């Protein structure tokens, strides 16, 4: 069953953006890390996540109300990530992150800089003056997993379409 169909059946009368946050399904993501303690330091100390259940091989993190789970793998088993050109940058094809409000995005950028986290893609505004204008940046966690943080100038444009093709 397709996820979109399942969600439409769960919330048949409301378009996704009209579903109150308290009733929206929570996101779950499991991802590989090569060092659980380095992951803990990054996700709790730098990003401010709290932890949930854990074992010798995995840790649950609260990622702004969503559950992400770091699973320890051998370095040889950690997947490499292909990249795609987007607006002049080589964006990792495999990545996850958060969409923040505009001020929250720049506050996180300051927090990342204060923690001396290097940017894979420096904070910048993409698609300026167009539908979907957004501030974005990419960082890597200690295991090399790419995270994107972004903020839309107009949050209502999150799923809006632009007739011009994006480069």
């Amino acid at each position: 069953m397709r996820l979109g169909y399942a969600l439409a059946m769960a919330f048949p009368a409301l378009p996704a953006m009209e579903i109150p946050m308290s009733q929206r399904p929570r996101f779950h993501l499991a991802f590989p890390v090569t060092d659980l303690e380095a992951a803990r330091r990054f996700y709790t100390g730098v990003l401010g996540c709290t932890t949930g259940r854990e074992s010798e091989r995995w840790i649950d993190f609260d990622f702004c109300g969503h559950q992400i789970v770091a699973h320890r793998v051998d370095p040889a088993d950690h997947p490499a990530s292909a990249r795609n050109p987007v607006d002049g940058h080589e964006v990792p094809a495999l990545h996850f992150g958060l969409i923040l409000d505009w001020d929250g995005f720049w506050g996180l950028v300051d927090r990342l800089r204060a923690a001396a986290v290097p940017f894979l893609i420096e904070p910048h505004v993409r698609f300026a003056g167009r539908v979907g204008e957004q501030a974005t940046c990419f960082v890597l966690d200690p295991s090399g997993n790419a995270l994107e943080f972004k903020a839309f100038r107009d949050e209502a444009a999150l799923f809006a379409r632009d007739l011009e093709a994006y480069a």
Side-chain angles (χ1 to χ4, degrees):
M1 176 184 301
R2 289 189 357 246
L3 178 61
Y5 177 79
L7 292 176
M9 294 295 92
F11 302 102
L14 296 173
M17 292 304 290
E18 294 178 19
I19 300 170
M21 286 300 292
S22 62
Q23 294 178 12
R24 288 188 186 183
R26 299 228 178 157
F27 183 80
H28 166 80
L29 173 73
F31 59 99
V33 299
T34 56
D35 182 330
L36 276 178
E37 289 311 310
R40 180 192 311 277
R41 287 189 300 275
F42 180 78
Y43 286 94
T44 62
V46 175
L47 297 183
C49 298
T50 57
T51 58
R53 291 176 304 279
E54 59 185 270
S55 79
E56 293 178 2
R57 301 225 27 117
W58 52 266
I59 302 172
D60 286 349
F61 295 101
D62 179 341
F63 195 58
C64 290
H66 303 282
Q67 182 192 47
I68 61 172
V69 185
H71 284 269
R72 186 172 47 120
V73 299
D74 291 327
D77 294 331
H78 195 279
S81 181
R83 298 185 183 213
N84 289 317
V86 178
D87 201 33
H89 296 277
E90 289 296 313
V91 172
L94 177 62
H95 65 270
F96 66 97
L98 291 172
I99 301 169
L100 306 167
D101 66 33
W102 199 260
D103 292 336
F105 170 82
W106 294 107
L108 177 62
V109 166
D110 291 342
R111 181 181 184 145
L112 293 168
R113 286 189 170 134
V117 174
F119 289 97
L120 180 65
I121 297 177
E122 287 286 332
H124 68 283
V125 175
R126 164 190 305 170
F127 311 131
R130 297 182 61 189
V131 172
E133 178 178 351
Q134 57 193 264
T136 183
C137 69
F138 282 78
V139 298
L140 297 177
D141 75 8
S143 293
N145 296 302
L147 287 89
E148 178 183 20
F149 297 98
K150 62 168 73 177
F152 283 80
R153 176 89 58 194
D154 175 7
E155 210 169 291
L158 179 63
F159 295 106
R161 293 181 176 203
D162 189 340
L163 296 178
E164 297 178 39
Y166 284 94

